[in-house]
Amino acid sequence: MSQCCINPSILSADFVNLEAELQRISNADAVHVDVMDNHFVPNLTLGLPVVQRIQAVSPVPLDAHLMISDVDRWAPAYADAGVASVTFHAEAAMAPVKLARELRERGSKAGMALRPATPVEPYLDMLSELDMLLIMTVEPGFGGQSFLDITLPKIRRARAAIEGSGIAVAIQVDGGITEETIVRAAEAGANVFVAGSAVYSHEDPAAAIDRLRAAGRAATAA
């Protein structure tokens, strides 16, 4: 995996013109699709039927982030839809190892997300079951929040554990990613970055992606 993958979040896109908005980020590594159910998080976004349509027209793979309750029941359907990577929240999963295995069996990469206050240590023994660990750098549920620096030590501990295990697990960060904060997150050990407003607030989202990628790569090369 690239040392700096940029996955723009369509939470900041124009929902009336999603297909056109997807074309504007065709240089991204994946498109981050935030699925919220108004239960696990207070916001409500979109569900499986819309994700299936996005899957059909997206120029890049889908990275689905499921901020939903009863995720053990619903997550496998996203894998069945062809989504490249499906991430569930540890706090919402009843049987995270079983769920991660089921996602992989159905052809998706398995990701697990942790809220800012959720410690990473209880989940380190299941790294071999995951392709990606998502460390939320804001509270899940809303776009446009500021990056929480208190998550940086957790990113560092996760990176150290992954390197110590020898298992190839990506570390994704989501929330408040800008050309400034991507540097701190990359230096801490993250290598997959979700950016919403930092991409879609610009007139040229593709150029914004290139700038974020360059900043992240420079941080890891330093």
Side-chain angles (χ1 to χ4, degrees):
M1 176 177 286
S2 166
Q3 285 304 302
C4 186
C5 295
I6 306 297
N7 296 8
S9 168
I10 57 170
L11 192 63
S12 298
D14 179 359
F15 272 36
V16 176
N17 300 291
L18 272 184
E19 184 170 3
E21 293 284 74
L22 290 166
Q23 295 302 321
R24 298 174 74 201
I25 59 166
S26 59
N27 62 326
D29 295 282
V31 56
H32 191 80
V33 182
D34 291 298
V35 178
M36 306 182 192
D37 65 355
N38 193 221
H39 292 283
F40 180 71
V41 293
N43 205 355
L44 179 67
T45 55
L46 43 83
L48 183 59
V50 177
V51 173
Q52 289 171 325
R53 287 298 299 138
I54 294 171
Q55 172 71 23
V57 301
S58 176
V60 294
L62 265 59
D63 166 29
H65 177 192
L66 307 183
M67 288 169 271
I68 62 175
S69 301
D70 203 9
V71 71
D72 301 77
R73 174 186 177 189
W74 293 112
Y78 289 83
D80 289 342
V83 173
S85 178
V86 178
T87 297
F88 60 89
H89 267 265
E91 303 90 351
M94 296 297 293
V97 172
K98 178 178 180 294
L99 179 54
R101 290 181 177 181
E102 189 168 2
L103 293 173
R104 283 175 159 183
E105 288 168 0
R106 297 188 184 208
S108 289
K109 291 183 177 180
M112 185 173 68
L114 304 175
R115 288 177 180 265
T118 301
V120 69
E121 285 75 14
Y123 302 99
L124 294 180
D125 286 345
M126 64 174 289
L127 284 175
S128 62
E129 307 291 343
L130 301 172
D131 299 290
M132 185 167 71
L133 180 66
L134 166 54
I135 295 177
M136 293 297 299
T137 46
V138 298
E139 288 295 339
F142 295 94
Q145 299 181 65
S146 297
F147 184 90
L148 294 174
D149 283 285
I150 60 169
T151 61
L152 291 172
K154 182 161 66 171
I155 297 170
R156 294 189 189 99
R157 294 195 301 273
R159 173 53 62 195
I162 289 169
E163 292 184 354
S165 71
I167 301 169
V169 179
I171 296 179
Q172 183 179 78
V173 288
D174 181 359
I177 296 300
T178 65
E179 289 182 56
E180 176 192 5
T181 60
I182 195 174
V183 172
R184 301 203 293 276
E187 288 174 344
N191 62 336
V192 183
F193 305 90
V194 177
S197 56
V199 171
Y200 275 112
S201 65
H202 291 275
E203 185 174 336
D204 186 349
I209 291 169
D210 288 340
R211 290 193 296 270
L212 285 167
R213 188 179 284 121
R217 286 176 174 172
T220 56

